[in-house]
Amino acid sequence: MIGIRFAVLLVLSLLVFASLAAMAQEEAVPTAGERPALEIDVTSFEAAAVGLEYVWTLLAAFLVFFMHAGFAMVEAGFTRARNAVNIIMKNILTVSMGVLGFFFAGFALMFGPGNGLFGGVGFLLGGLEDLMAGHALGGDWLYCFFIFQAVFAATGATIVSGAMAERTKFIGYIFFAFFMCTFLYPVFGHWAWGSLLFGDDSAGWLEGLGFADFAGSTVVHSIGGWTALAGALMLGPRTGKYRGGRVQVIPGHNVPLAALGVFILWFGWYGFNCGSTTAGSDTAIAYIAVTTTLAAAAGVVGATIIGWIKFRKPDAGMSLNGALGGLVSITAGCDALSPVEAIIAGLIGGALVVFSVLFIDKILRVDDPVGAISVHGTCGVWGTLAVGLFTDAGVGVQALGCLVAFGWAFGVGLIAFGILRVLHLLRVSPGEEAEGLDFGEH
């Protein structure tokens, strides 16, 4: 009985306390008319918005930087094991020398105020502080924008490495990577993208005509591809590649490694394309992610189908390069093409990879171990023209940009590689090539 009474008293006590607490809460909560107005710290809100742009652009830059691991894996996997160390060394030095060259002079030539041909302010990033003082994102945006564009520049130089694999002197290639990021790439970049930081004060002549290349099908990929063509021509083919009038297949030693590289590149490409908004607050990044993904997937399908028809079996190398061809094909128009148009662009890009690789290898007799010229040069042209076909940009100005890019990259590339050849800094000896560059060069 005592236990029952205690339980009843406990329950009654809890009910009383609950009622008192409810009454106190009702008295403490003000009515709608009594509630104070919500105060928003506008300064903090604006700072957070600016911070978002910085964080997004830096994240995209880091994704593009990670693409260099992909390029290294693709090149190493598609070539012979005895050159793997050389390829890793070339890729790490490309990033290092490329970023330094872009810092010393490339950034100024590409984005500094000047004229329609090249910029003239900002060497070693100096002299830009006053110009950045009134920028909407603050003076530190200079450094954020620099790191994003620096990894783009290094990407263009890395493309060249694959087409020249297995027979290039290490020192000569490093000299060229520095030259490319210091001069060759930035000058054309200024013609097409010069106004991205300082507006009309640094606009290039091609963009003044209406040339459209959102993330670099031409500015990055075609420039890299056509420079690679010049390098491969000046080098000549690998020993034994063309024997007795026939093309000899020199298979890579590790296709799974190359596949890993392609997946890394596909992943990093979201930083390449979506990141080119340089604005995390721009909700178009979701749309760009969709067009990028659809084009890459269609590129795989296009290359697989054409490869299957040509070789009677699906070819892993062609399918992997088809993904990259689809990505290059959408890079110029990822912000403007519809999802269906992105699929069409990627499908055609993947098919073009197969035809271009066979044409360059069997007709032109240019030895490109990884298909870099086809993926970046050929598909870069197609992606740039696709913008003119599917949007109001106009095919004429897009074609002009492609022709100018070819003339500039191929012409300057021939001169630069010709100088290296005269100085005996371009090609290793036949003995070193046969032994493997890992031993002879490193």
Side-chain angles (χ1 to χ4, degrees), residues 78 255 258-259 262-263 266 295-308 311 313-327 346 349-351 353-354 357 375:
F78 278 151
V255 174
V262 169
F263 278 113
W266 189 335
V300 174
V301 173
T304 301
I305 291 172
I306 299 300
W308 208 328
F311 311 123
K313 291 181 180 180
D315 183 274
M318 291 299 183
S319 295
L320 291 171
N321 270 335
L324 302 181
L327 288 163
V353 166
V354 180
V357 165
V375 167

PDB file of all heavy atoms in Angstrom, residues 78 255 258-259 262-263 266 295-308 311 313-327 346 349-351 353-354 357 375:
ATOM      1  N   PHE A  78      50.039   3.734 -70.903  1.00  0.00           N
ATOM      2  CA  PHE A  78      49.994   3.520 -72.344  1.00  0.00           C
ATOM      3  C   PHE A  78      51.384   3.377 -72.969  1.00  0.00           C
ATOM      4  O   PHE A  78      51.503   3.246 -74.195  1.00  0.00           O
ATOM      5  CB  PHE A  78      49.254   4.658 -73.035  1.00  0.00           C
ATOM      6  CG  PHE A  78      47.750   4.518 -72.993  1.00  0.00           C
ATOM      7  CD1 PHE A  78      46.935   5.647 -73.007  1.00  0.00           C
ATOM      8  CD2 PHE A  78      47.148   3.281 -72.941  1.00  0.00           C
ATOM      9  CE1 PHE A  78      45.554   5.528 -72.975  1.00  0.00           C
ATOM     10  CE2 PHE A  78      45.766   3.157 -72.908  1.00  0.00           C
ATOM     11  CZ  PHE A  78      44.960   4.287 -72.922  1.00  0.00           C
ATOM     12  N   VAL A 255      47.335  -1.228 -68.855  1.00  0.00           N
ATOM     13  CA  VAL A 255      46.070  -0.576 -69.201  1.00  0.00           C
ATOM     14  C   VAL A 255      45.253  -0.221 -67.951  1.00  0.00           C
ATOM     15  O   VAL A 255      44.628   0.840 -67.914  1.00  0.00           O
ATOM     16  CB  VAL A 255      45.257  -1.464 -70.169  1.00  0.00           C
ATOM     17  CG1 VAL A 255      43.869  -0.868 -70.418  1.00  0.00           C
ATOM     18  CG2 VAL A 255      45.998  -1.614 -71.494  1.00  0.00           C
ATOM     19  N   ALA A 258      46.374   3.100 -66.864  1.00  0.00           N
ATOM     20  CA  ALA A 258      45.849   4.134 -67.755  1.00  0.00           C
ATOM     21  C   ALA A 258      44.375   4.408 -67.459  1.00  0.00           C
ATOM     22  O   ALA A 258      43.925   5.560 -67.491  1.00  0.00           O
ATOM     23  CB  ALA A 258      46.026   3.704 -69.215  1.00  0.00           C
ATOM     24  N   ALA A 259      43.614   3.350 -67.161  1.00  0.00           N
ATOM     25  CA  ALA A 259      42.196   3.528 -66.829  1.00  0.00           C
ATOM     26  C   ALA A 259      42.033   4.337 -65.557  1.00  0.00           C
ATOM     27  O   ALA A 259      41.150   5.208 -65.459  1.00  0.00           O
ATOM     28  CB  ALA A 259      41.528   2.158 -66.677  1.00  0.00           C
ATOM     29  N   VAL A 262      42.443   7.893 -66.433  1.00  0.00           N
ATOM     30  CA  VAL A 262      41.270   8.465 -67.102  1.00  0.00           C
ATOM     31  C   VAL A 262      40.183   8.816 -66.085  1.00  0.00           C
ATOM     32  O   VAL A 262      39.558   9.879 -66.158  1.00  0.00           O
ATOM     33  CB  VAL A 262      40.731   7.501 -68.177  1.00  0.00           C
ATOM     34  CG1 VAL A 262      39.360   7.957 -68.676  1.00  0.00           C
ATOM     35  CG2 VAL A 262      41.707   7.417 -69.341  1.00  0.00           C
ATOM     36  N   PHE A 263      39.958   7.930 -65.125  1.00  0.00           N
ATOM     37  CA  PHE A 263      38.956   8.232 -64.099  1.00  0.00           C
ATOM     38  C   PHE A 263      39.362   9.452 -63.275  1.00  0.00           C
ATOM     39  O   PHE A 263      38.516  10.278 -62.901  1.00  0.00           O
ATOM     40  CB  PHE A 263      38.740   7.019 -63.195  1.00  0.00           C
ATOM     41  CG  PHE A 263      37.806   5.992 -63.775  1.00  0.00           C
ATOM     42  CD1 PHE A 263      38.284   4.735 -64.139  1.00  0.00           C
ATOM     43  CD2 PHE A 263      36.464   6.273 -63.976  1.00  0.00           C
ATOM     44  CE1 PHE A 263      37.428   3.779 -64.681  1.00  0.00           C
ATOM     45  CE2 PHE A 263      35.610   5.324 -64.519  1.00  0.00           C
ATOM     46  CZ  PHE A 263      36.080   4.076 -64.877  1.00  0.00           C
ATOM     47  N   TRP A 266      38.645  12.465 -65.466  1.00  0.00           N
ATOM     48  CA  TRP A 266      37.201  12.717 -65.514  1.00  0.00           C
ATOM     49  C   TRP A 266      36.759  13.429 -64.226  1.00  0.00           C
ATOM     50  O   TRP A 266      36.018  14.412 -64.255  1.00  0.00           O
ATOM     51  CB  TRP A 266      36.463  11.394 -65.690  1.00  0.00           C
ATOM     52  CG  TRP A 266      34.995  11.480 -65.979  1.00  0.00           C
ATOM     53  CD1 TRP A 266      34.144  12.513 -65.651  1.00  0.00           C
ATOM     54  CD2 TRP A 266      34.190  10.505 -66.658  1.00  0.00           C
ATOM     55  NE1 TRP A 266      32.874  12.224 -66.068  1.00  0.00           N
ATOM     56  CE2 TRP A 266      32.871  11.011 -66.692  1.00  0.00           C
ATOM     57  CE3 TRP A 266      34.450   9.257 -67.207  1.00  0.00           C
ATOM     58  CZ2 TRP A 266      31.814  10.289 -67.265  1.00  0.00           C
ATOM     59  CZ3 TRP A 266      33.407   8.548 -67.784  1.00  0.00           C
ATOM     60  CH2 TRP A 266      32.103   9.051 -67.818  1.00  0.00           C
ATOM     61  N   ALA A 295      28.512  14.321 -71.809  1.00  0.00           N
ATOM     62  CA  ALA A 295      29.433  14.307 -72.946  1.00  0.00           C
ATOM     63  C   ALA A 295      30.522  13.256 -72.766  1.00  0.00           C
ATOM     64  O   ALA A 295      30.894  12.559 -73.719  1.00  0.00           O
ATOM     65  CB  ALA A 295      30.056  15.687 -73.127  1.00  0.00           C
ATOM     66  N   ALA A 296      31.041  13.136 -71.556  1.00  0.00           N
ATOM     67  CA  ALA A 296      32.072  12.124 -71.295  1.00  0.00           C
ATOM     68  C   ALA A 296      31.523  10.718 -71.517  1.00  0.00           C
ATOM     69  O   ALA A 296      32.165   9.873 -72.163  1.00  0.00           O
ATOM     70  CB  ALA A 296      32.592  12.273 -69.870  1.00  0.00           C
ATOM     71  N   ALA A 297      30.327  10.468 -70.985  1.00  0.00           N
ATOM     72  CA  ALA A 297      29.716   9.149 -71.152  1.00  0.00           C
ATOM     73  C   ALA A 297      29.457   8.846 -72.623  1.00  0.00           C
ATOM     74  O   ALA A 297      29.722   7.735 -73.106  1.00  0.00           O
ATOM     75  CB  ALA A 297      28.409   9.084 -70.356  1.00  0.00           C
ATOM     76  N   ALA A 298      28.962   9.843 -73.349  1.00  0.00           N
ATOM     77  CA  ALA A 298      28.708   9.652 -74.776  1.00  0.00           C
ATOM     78  C   ALA A 298      30.005   9.444 -75.540  1.00  0.00           C
ATOM     79  O   ALA A 298      30.053   8.686 -76.525  1.00  0.00           O
ATOM     80  CB  ALA A 298      27.945  10.850 -75.337  1.00  0.00           C
ATOM     81  N   GLY A 299      31.073  10.091 -75.103  1.00  0.00           N
ATOM     82  CA  GLY A 299      32.368   9.903 -75.746  1.00  0.00           C
ATOM     83  C   GLY A 299      32.850   8.469 -75.640  1.00  0.00           C
ATOM     84  O   GLY A 299      33.394   7.907 -76.599  1.00  0.00           O
ATOM     85  N   VAL A 300      32.650   7.869 -74.472  1.00  0.00           N
ATOM     86  CA  VAL A 300      33.013   6.459 -74.295  1.00  0.00           C
ATOM     87  C   VAL A 300      32.216   5.587 -75.250  1.00  0.00           C
ATOM     88  O   VAL A 300      32.773   4.705 -75.930  1.00  0.00           O
ATOM     89  CB  VAL A 300      32.769   6.016 -72.843  1.00  0.00           C
ATOM     90  CG1 VAL A 300      33.008   4.517 -72.697  1.00  0.00           C
ATOM     91  CG2 VAL A 300      33.666   6.787 -71.882  1.00  0.00           C
ATOM     92  N   VAL A 301      30.919   5.832 -75.320  1.00  0.00           N
ATOM     93  CA  VAL A 301      30.053   5.028 -76.184  1.00  0.00           C
ATOM     94  C   VAL A 301      30.446   5.199 -77.650  1.00  0.00           C
ATOM     95  O   VAL A 301      30.553   4.216 -78.403  1.00  0.00           O
ATOM     96  CB  VAL A 301      28.576   5.411 -75.971  1.00  0.00           C
ATOM     97  CG1 VAL A 301      27.680   4.706 -76.985  1.00  0.00           C
ATOM     98  CG2 VAL A 301      28.137   5.060 -74.546  1.00  0.00           C
ATOM     99  N   GLY A 302      30.680   6.438 -78.071  1.00  0.00           N
ATOM    100  CA  GLY A 302      31.048   6.690 -79.464  1.00  0.00           C
ATOM    101  C   GLY A 302      32.333   6.000 -79.855  1.00  0.00           C
ATOM    102  O   GLY A 302      32.429   5.349 -80.913  1.00  0.00           O
ATOM    103  N   ALA A 303      33.368   6.107 -79.004  1.00  0.00           N
ATOM    104  CA  ALA A 303      34.652   5.475 -79.305  1.00  0.00           C
ATOM    105  C   ALA A 303      34.545   3.955 -79.268  1.00  0.00           C
ATOM    106  O   ALA A 303      35.173   3.260 -80.083  1.00  0.00           O
ATOM    107  CB  ALA A 303      35.706   5.953 -78.305  1.00  0.00           C
ATOM    108  N   THR A 304      33.750   3.433 -78.338  1.00  0.00           N
ATOM    109  CA  THR A 304      33.599   1.978 -78.237  1.00  0.00           C
ATOM    110  C   THR A 304      32.923   1.404 -79.482  1.00  0.00           C
ATOM    111  O   THR A 304      33.353   0.383 -80.032  1.00  0.00           O
ATOM    112  CB  THR A 304      32.784   1.611 -76.979  1.00  0.00           C
ATOM    113  OG1 THR A 304      33.455   2.108 -75.818  1.00  0.00           O
ATOM    114  CG2 THR A 304      32.627   0.101 -76.862  1.00  0.00           C
ATOM    115  N   ILE A 305      31.861   2.066 -79.938  1.00  0.00           N
ATOM    116  CA  ILE A 305      31.137   1.583 -81.118  1.00  0.00           C
ATOM    117  C   ILE A 305      32.033   1.605 -82.352  1.00  0.00           C
ATOM    118  O   ILE A 305      32.133   0.610 -83.092  1.00  0.00           O
ATOM    119  CB  ILE A 305      29.872   2.430 -81.352  1.00  0.00           C
ATOM    120  CG1 ILE A 305      28.849   2.168 -80.241  1.00  0.00           C
ATOM    121  CG2 ILE A 305      29.262   2.116 -82.723  1.00  0.00           C
ATOM    122  CD1 ILE A 305      27.649   3.092 -80.292  1.00  0.00           C
ATOM    123  N   ILE A 306      32.692   2.739 -82.597  1.00  0.00           N
ATOM    124  CA  ILE A 306      33.544   2.850 -83.782  1.00  0.00           C
ATOM    125  C   ILE A 306      34.729   1.895 -83.684  1.00  0.00           C
ATOM    126  O   ILE A 306      35.113   1.238 -84.664  1.00  0.00           O
ATOM    127  CB  ILE A 306      34.035   4.300 -83.964  1.00  0.00           C
ATOM    128  CG1 ILE A 306      32.835   5.247 -84.151  1.00  0.00           C
ATOM    129  CG2 ILE A 306      34.976   4.397 -85.156  1.00  0.00           C
ATOM    130  CD1 ILE A 306      31.966   4.915 -85.351  1.00  0.00           C
ATOM    131  N   GLY A 307      35.326   1.786 -82.490  1.00  0.00           N
ATOM    132  CA  GLY A 307      36.426   0.853 -82.307  1.00  0.00           C
ATOM    133  C   GLY A 307      36.005  -0.584 -82.529  1.00  0.00           C
ATOM    134  O   GLY A 307      36.736  -1.389 -83.119  1.00  0.00           O
ATOM    135  N   TRP A 308      34.807  -0.928 -82.063  1.00  0.00           N
ATOM    136  CA  TRP A 308      34.272  -2.272 -82.236  1.00  0.00           C
ATOM    137  C   TRP A 308      34.090  -2.595 -83.719  1.00  0.00           C
ATOM    138  O   TRP A 308      34.394  -3.692 -84.185  1.00  0.00           O
ATOM    139  CB  TRP A 308      32.939  -2.376 -81.496  1.00  0.00           C
ATOM    140  CG  TRP A 308      32.595  -3.750 -81.016  1.00  0.00           C
ATOM    141  CD1 TRP A 308      32.920  -4.946 -81.580  1.00  0.00           C
ATOM    142  CD2 TRP A 308      31.842  -4.062 -79.843  1.00  0.00           C
ATOM    143  NE1 TRP A 308      32.418  -5.984 -80.845  1.00  0.00           N
ATOM    144  CE2 TRP A 308      31.752  -5.474 -79.768  1.00  0.00           C
ATOM    145  CE3 TRP A 308      31.232  -3.298 -78.854  1.00  0.00           C
ATOM    146  CZ2 TRP A 308      31.059  -6.111 -78.735  1.00  0.00           C
ATOM    147  CZ3 TRP A 308      30.559  -3.934 -77.831  1.00  0.00           C
ATOM    148  CH2 TRP A 308      30.468  -5.328 -77.770  1.00  0.00           C
ATOM    149  N   PHE A 311      37.838  -2.692 -85.367  1.00  0.00           N
ATOM    150  CA  PHE A 311      38.756  -3.755 -84.933  1.00  0.00           C
ATOM    151  C   PHE A 311      38.053  -5.076 -84.647  1.00  0.00           C
ATOM    152  O   PHE A 311      38.695  -6.041 -84.242  1.00  0.00           O
ATOM    153  CB  PHE A 311      39.516  -3.300 -83.679  1.00  0.00           C
ATOM    154  CG  PHE A 311      40.126  -1.931 -83.803  1.00  0.00           C
ATOM    155  CD1 PHE A 311      39.817  -0.925 -82.895  1.00  0.00           C
ATOM    156  CD2 PHE A 311      40.988  -1.634 -84.843  1.00  0.00           C
ATOM    157  CE1 PHE A 311      40.365   0.339 -83.010  1.00  0.00           C
ATOM    158  CE2 PHE A 311      41.541  -0.369 -84.962  1.00  0.00           C
ATOM    159  CZ  PHE A 311      41.232   0.625 -84.049  1.00  0.00           C
ATOM    160  N   LYS A 313      36.434  -5.934 -82.270  1.00  0.00           N
ATOM    161  CA  LYS A 313      36.345  -6.149 -80.827  1.00  0.00           C
ATOM    162  C   LYS A 313      36.432  -4.778 -80.151  1.00  0.00           C
ATOM    163  O   LYS A 313      37.084  -3.872 -80.672  1.00  0.00           O
ATOM    164  CB  LYS A 313      37.485  -7.044 -80.321  1.00  0.00           C
ATOM    165  CG  LYS A 313      37.416  -8.496 -80.777  1.00  0.00           C
ATOM    166  CD  LYS A 313      38.570  -9.301 -80.193  1.00  0.00           C
ATOM    167  CE  LYS A 313      38.497 -10.758 -80.652  1.00  0.00           C
ATOM    168  NZ  LYS A 313      39.631 -11.560 -80.094  1.00  0.00           N
ATOM    169  N   PRO A 314      35.786  -4.622 -78.997  1.00  0.00           N
ATOM    170  CA  PRO A 314      35.912  -3.338 -78.294  1.00  0.00           C
ATOM    171  C   PRO A 314      37.333  -3.152 -77.786  1.00  0.00           C
ATOM    172  O   PRO A 314      37.919  -4.063 -77.199  1.00  0.00           O
ATOM    173  CB  PRO A 314      34.910  -3.464 -77.140  1.00  0.00           C
ATOM    174  CG  PRO A 314      34.726  -4.930 -76.945  1.00  0.00           C
ATOM    175  CD  PRO A 314      34.881  -5.560 -78.297  1.00  0.00           C
ATOM    176  N   ASP A 315      37.887  -1.976 -78.043  1.00  0.00           N
ATOM    177  CA  ASP A 315      39.272  -1.684 -77.708  1.00  0.00           C
ATOM    178  C   ASP A 315      39.329  -0.794 -76.470  1.00  0.00           C
ATOM    179  O   ASP A 315      38.781   0.310 -76.461  1.00  0.00           O
ATOM    180  CB  ASP A 315      39.954  -0.987 -78.889  1.00  0.00           C
ATOM    181  CG  ASP A 315      41.418  -0.712 -78.635  1.00  0.00           C
ATOM    182  OD1 ASP A 315      41.728   0.340 -78.045  1.00  0.00           O
ATOM    183  OD2 ASP A 315      42.260  -1.543 -79.018  1.00  0.00           O
ATOM    184  N   ALA A 316      40.009  -1.262 -75.429  1.00  0.00           N
ATOM    185  CA  ALA A 316      40.047  -0.530 -74.161  1.00  0.00           C
ATOM    186  C   ALA A 316      40.710   0.835 -74.313  1.00  0.00           C
ATOM    187  O   ALA A 316      40.237   1.838 -73.765  1.00  0.00           O
ATOM    188  CB  ALA A 316      40.781  -1.349 -73.102  1.00  0.00           C
ATOM    189  N   GLY A 317      41.820   0.883 -75.051  1.00  0.00           N
ATOM    190  CA  GLY A 317      42.520   2.146 -75.226  1.00  0.00           C
ATOM    191  C   GLY A 317      41.659   3.189 -75.907  1.00  0.00           C
ATOM    192  O   GLY A 317      41.638   4.364 -75.499  1.00  0.00           O
ATOM    193  N   MET A 318      40.934   2.790 -76.946  1.00  0.00           N
ATOM    194  CA  MET A 318      40.062   3.728 -77.646  1.00  0.00           C
ATOM    195  C   MET A 318      38.911   4.183 -76.754  1.00  0.00           C
ATOM    196  O   MET A 318      38.538   5.362 -76.763  1.00  0.00           O
ATOM    197  CB  MET A 318      39.522   3.078 -78.922  1.00  0.00           C
ATOM    198  CG  MET A 318      40.558   2.850 -79.999  1.00  0.00           C
ATOM    199  SD  MET A 318      41.313   4.404 -80.569  1.00  0.00           S
ATOM    200  CE  MET A 318      42.382   3.771 -81.874  1.00  0.00           C
ATOM    201  N   SER A 319      38.338   3.276 -75.988  1.00  0.00           N
ATOM    202  CA  SER A 319      37.231   3.650 -75.112  1.00  0.00           C
ATOM    203  C   SER A 319      37.683   4.626 -74.036  1.00  0.00           C
ATOM    204  O   SER A 319      36.973   5.592 -73.709  1.00  0.00           O
ATOM    205  CB  SER A 319      36.619   2.405 -74.460  1.00  0.00           C
ATOM    206  OG  SER A 319      36.031   1.565 -75.448  1.00  0.00           O
ATOM    207  N   LEU A 320      38.864   4.384 -73.481  1.00  0.00           N
ATOM    208  CA  LEU A 320      39.389   5.296 -72.468  1.00  0.00           C
ATOM    209  C   LEU A 320      39.649   6.674 -73.062  1.00  0.00           C
ATOM    210  O   LEU A 320      39.287   7.702 -72.476  1.00  0.00           O
ATOM    211  CB  LEU A 320      40.674   4.723 -71.866  1.00  0.00           C
ATOM    212  CG  LEU A 320      40.505   3.469 -71.003  1.00  0.00           C
ATOM    213  CD1 LEU A 320      41.862   2.877 -70.652  1.00  0.00           C
ATOM    214  CD2 LEU A 320      39.714   3.788 -69.749  1.00  0.00           C
ATOM    215  N   ASN A 321      40.269   6.709 -74.228  1.00  0.00           N
ATOM    216  CA  ASN A 321      40.486   8.004 -74.882  1.00  0.00           C
ATOM    217  C   ASN A 321      39.181   8.626 -75.342  1.00  0.00           C
ATOM    218  O   ASN A 321      39.085   9.848 -75.472  1.00  0.00           O
ATOM    219  CB  ASN A 321      41.449   7.845 -76.062  1.00  0.00           C
ATOM    220  CG  ASN A 321      42.899   8.032 -75.660  1.00  0.00           C
ATOM    221  OD1 ASN A 321      43.208   8.699 -74.677  1.00  0.00           O
ATOM    222  ND2 ASN A 321      43.812   7.443 -76.424  1.00  0.00           N
ATOM    223  N   GLY A 322      38.160   7.792 -75.587  1.00  0.00           N
ATOM    224  CA  GLY A 322      36.851   8.328 -75.944  1.00  0.00           C
ATOM    225  C   GLY A 322      36.257   9.165 -74.831  1.00  0.00           C
ATOM    226  O   GLY A 322      35.604  10.188 -75.080  1.00  0.00           O
ATOM    227  N   ALA A 323      36.464   8.738 -73.586  1.00  0.00           N
ATOM    228  CA  ALA A 323      36.001   9.537 -72.449  1.00  0.00           C
ATOM    229  C   ALA A 323      36.663  10.910 -72.456  1.00  0.00           C
ATOM    230  O   ALA A 323      36.000  11.949 -72.276  1.00  0.00           O
ATOM    231  CB  ALA A 323      36.296   8.818 -71.136  1.00  0.00           C
ATOM    232  N   LEU A 324      37.971  10.924 -72.678  1.00  0.00           N
ATOM    233  CA  LEU A 324      38.691  12.198 -72.710  1.00  0.00           C
ATOM    234  C   LEU A 324      38.277  13.034 -73.914  1.00  0.00           C
ATOM    235  O   LEU A 324      38.148  14.261 -73.814  1.00  0.00           O
ATOM    236  CB  LEU A 324      40.199  11.935 -72.742  1.00  0.00           C
ATOM    237  CG  LEU A 324      40.755  11.102 -71.575  1.00  0.00           C
ATOM    238  CD1 LEU A 324      42.264  10.944 -71.714  1.00  0.00           C
ATOM    239  CD2 LEU A 324      40.401  11.729 -70.246  1.00  0.00           C
ATOM    240  N   GLY A 325      38.049  12.376 -75.053  1.00  0.00           N
ATOM    241  CA  GLY A 325      37.585  13.105 -76.228  1.00  0.00           C
ATOM    242  C   GLY A 325      36.234  13.747 -75.999  1.00  0.00           C
ATOM    243  O   GLY A 325      35.981  14.887 -76.420  1.00  0.00           O
ATOM    244  N   GLY A 326      35.333  13.037 -75.315  1.00  0.00           N
ATOM    245  CA  GLY A 326      34.039  13.622 -74.983  1.00  0.00           C
ATOM    246  C   GLY A 326      34.173  14.801 -74.050  1.00  0.00           C
ATOM    247  O   GLY A 326      33.468  15.820 -74.198  1.00  0.00           O
ATOM    248  N   LEU A 327      35.073  14.704 -73.089  1.00  0.00           N
ATOM    249  CA  LEU A 327      35.283  15.803 -72.154  1.00  0.00           C
ATOM    250  C   LEU A 327      35.864  17.033 -72.843  1.00  0.00           C
ATOM    251  O   LEU A 327      35.435  18.165 -72.604  1.00  0.00           O
ATOM    252  CB  LEU A 327      36.207  15.340 -71.024  1.00  0.00           C
ATOM    253  CG  LEU A 327      35.572  14.363 -70.025  1.00  0.00           C
ATOM    254  CD1 LEU A 327      36.635  13.641 -69.220  1.00  0.00           C
ATOM    255  CD2 LEU A 327      34.600  15.098 -69.108  1.00  0.00           C
ATOM    256  N   GLY A 346      29.652  14.904 -77.353  1.00  0.00           N
ATOM    257  CA  GLY A 346      30.503  13.852 -76.812  1.00  0.00           C
ATOM    258  C   GLY A 346      30.558  12.625 -77.697  1.00  0.00           C
ATOM    259  O   GLY A 346      31.626  12.025 -77.884  1.00  0.00           O
ATOM    260  N   GLY A 349      32.707  13.422 -80.581  1.00  0.00           N
ATOM    261  CA  GLY A 349      34.075  13.533 -80.103  1.00  0.00           C
ATOM    262  C   GLY A 349      34.709  12.171 -79.889  1.00  0.00           C
ATOM    263  O   GLY A 349      35.868  11.940 -80.271  1.00  0.00           O
ATOM    264  N   GLY A 350      33.971  11.247 -79.288  1.00  0.00           N
ATOM    265  CA  GLY A 350      34.496   9.904 -79.089  1.00  0.00           C
ATOM    266  C   GLY A 350      34.796   9.198 -80.390  1.00  0.00           C
ATOM    267  O   GLY A 350      35.820   8.510 -80.531  1.00  0.00           O
ATOM    268  N   ALA A 351      33.896   9.340 -81.364  1.00  0.00           N
ATOM    269  CA  ALA A 351      34.128   8.739 -82.676  1.00  0.00           C
ATOM    270  C   ALA A 351      35.337   9.365 -83.367  1.00  0.00           C
ATOM    271  O   ALA A 351      36.159   8.670 -83.994  1.00  0.00           O
ATOM    272  CB  ALA A 351      32.881   8.891 -83.542  1.00  0.00           C
ATOM    273  N   VAL A 353      37.966  10.556 -82.058  1.00  0.00           N
ATOM    274  CA  VAL A 353      39.220  10.072 -81.475  1.00  0.00           C
ATOM    275  C   VAL A 353      39.738   8.868 -82.248  1.00  0.00           C
ATOM    276  O   VAL A 353      40.922   8.796 -82.609  1.00  0.00           O
ATOM    277  CB  VAL A 353      39.020   9.714 -79.986  1.00  0.00           C
ATOM    278  CG1 VAL A 353      40.208   8.894 -79.477  1.00  0.00           C
ATOM    279  CG2 VAL A 353      38.868  10.967 -79.148  1.00  0.00           C
ATOM    280  N   VAL A 354      38.869   7.922 -82.529  1.00  0.00           N
ATOM    281  CA  VAL A 354      39.290   6.703 -83.229  1.00  0.00           C
ATOM    282  C   VAL A 354      39.790   7.038 -84.629  1.00  0.00           C
ATOM    283  O   VAL A 354      40.885   6.609 -85.037  1.00  0.00           O
ATOM    284  CB  VAL A 354      38.135   5.692 -83.305  1.00  0.00           C
ATOM    285  CG1 VAL A 354      38.577   4.422 -84.033  1.00  0.00           C
ATOM    286  CG2 VAL A 354      37.621   5.352 -81.905  1.00  0.00           C
ATOM    287  N   VAL A 357      43.135   9.085 -84.469  1.00  0.00           N
ATOM    288  CA  VAL A 357      44.292   8.278 -84.089  1.00  0.00           C
ATOM    289  C   VAL A 357      44.785   7.465 -85.277  1.00  0.00           C
ATOM    290  O   VAL A 357      45.996   7.404 -85.553  1.00  0.00           O
ATOM    291  CB  VAL A 357      43.938   7.351 -82.900  1.00  0.00           C
ATOM    292  CG1 VAL A 357      44.992   6.264 -82.738  1.00  0.00           C
ATOM    293  CG2 VAL A 357      43.815   8.155 -81.619  1.00  0.00           C
ATOM    294  N   VAL A 375      43.009  13.417 -79.070  1.00  0.00           N
ATOM    295  CA  VAL A 375      42.102  13.752 -77.971  1.00  0.00           C
ATOM    296  C   VAL A 375      42.006  15.260 -77.776  1.00  0.00           C
ATOM    297  O   VAL A 375      40.903  15.826 -77.677  1.00  0.00           O
ATOM    298  CB  VAL A 375      42.574  13.075 -76.667  1.00  0.00           C
ATOM    299  CG1 VAL A 375      41.835  13.654 -75.456  1.00  0.00           C
ATOM    300  CG2 VAL A 375      42.346  11.570 -76.743  1.00  0.00           C
TER     301      VAL A 375
END
